[in-house]
Amino acid sequence: MSQNQDYWLNEGSKKTFSHPLLKDWLTRIEADGNIVDLGCGYGRLTPELQKLGFTCLYGYDFSLPQVQRARQENPAASYTTDIAALTARDYDLVICFALFTCCPSDAEQSQLASLIDTITRQGATLYISDYETDDNPHYGARYEQRELNCYGCFKSGTATFRHHDAGHFVRLFQGWDKTAERALKGRTMNGNAITLHQYLFTKKQADNGT
């Protein structure tokens, strides 16, 4: 169960998100490859992916209000709140935009990493857009809240969020190679100026012991 489940079933389902999709990072993905937006919210990335020619688009979010909104506003993907439906296929690309910040505990993040490993093929691509602590001095006092006994983890309203130390996602996804990274200026869902960090990973070939 998500640390912030009540928030995303209520207040959070009305938020607007703005992390930009870097189209050049998706050129190696086949047009008919399976793509899933994990933590898809209201499906705002679906029209962008569709414009790039991708045809097999899926979205998963545990929040039914978010998925209902996605089906109304961005209907070109197949959306679900059913984890069994999510895991019924393998994916060539998994997109996680502002997902890990919303799943702040180590246990939640480990579960997400395991899920992503389970639903992806060898050579699959993982595209993460999230936050680091290093270059966000505006949040210094919040980081010192140390919610969940973790520096960078803080309360905002009724929800708990996490900004990550540099190298966090490399450690979390040890079965993947980081192939690209960039930092860019952006805003949070509450309109606060912040630096976004985006990462591209490729799933390593399985070690068969030879």
Side-chain angles (χ1 to χ4, degrees):
M1 182 178 294
S2 171
Q3 176 82 23
N4 297 320
Q5 182 173 14
D6 289 344
Y7 177 83
W8 291 112
L9 290 173
N10 296 285
E11 177 186 351
S13 67
K14 303 176 180 66
K15 296 293 185 179
T16 298
F17 311 121
S18 59
H19 288 223
L21 187 73
L22 184 60
K23 299 172 179 62
D24 289 348
W25 278 10
L26 305 180
T27 54
R28 65 183 292 268
I29 309 299
E30 297 291 337
D32 61 351
N34 286 339
I35 298 174
V36 62
D37 185 355
L38 198 57
C40 63
Y42 57 92
R44 72 170 187 91
L45 293 178
T46 294
E48 295 188 51
L49 294 165
Q50 188 180 32
K51 287 178 183 177
L52 293 175
F54 297 114
T55 57
C56 300
L57 302 177
Y58 303 90
Y60 171 81
D61 204 294
F62 76 83
S63 171
L64 182 58
Q66 289 273 37
V67 166
Q68 290 173 331
R69 183 180 169 193
R71 289 169 178 164
Q72 291 178 345
E73 297 181 15
N74 301 296
S78 176
Y79 301 105
T80 188
T81 60
D82 182 0
I83 195 71
L86 170 69
T87 58
R89 59 180 58 84
D90 293 330
Y91 299 94
D92 301 282
L93 170 65
V94 177
I95 298 174
C96 300
F97 273 26
L99 175 60
F100 288 91
T101 187
C102 301
C103 300
S105 72
D106 288 341
E108 285 179 286
Q109 296 204 355
S110 294
Q111 289 168 3
L112 277 173
S114 179
L115 173 64
I116 291 168
D117 278 336
T118 298
I119 63 175
T120 48
R121 307 180 174 108
Q122 293 180 11
T125 299
L126 171 63
Y127 187 172
I128 295 173
S129 186
D130 220 287
Y131 308 107
E132 289 188 1
T133 58
D134 294 0
D135 46 15
N136 294 301
H138 172 74
Y139 284 86
R142 290 188 176 188
Y143 296 157
E144 289 295 347
Q145 291 179 23
R146 297 179 184 266
E147 291 289 322
L148 307 178
N149 296 315
C150 175
Y151 177 77
C153 200
F154 59 93
K155 279 281 191 184
S156 179
T158 62
T160 302
F161 298 97
R162 180 174 180 174
H163 295 179
H164 308 86
D165 63 308
H168 174 81
F169 292 106
V170 171
R171 293 190 296 272
L172 187 62
F173 289 97
Q174 295 188 12
W176 299 67
D177 290 319
K178 186 179 75 171
T179 55
E181 180 178 354
R182 69 167 181 167
L184 64 158
K185 299 301 180 182
R187 293 192 176 274
T188 69
M189 63 183 179
N190 292 318
N192 299 317
I194 198 168
T195 298
L196 309 177
H197 287 263
Q198 298 198 337
Y199 319 83
L200 201 67
F201 290 87
T202 300
K203 191 173 185 178
K204 296 177 182 178
Q205 298 295 312
D207 184 359
N208 59 14
T210 59

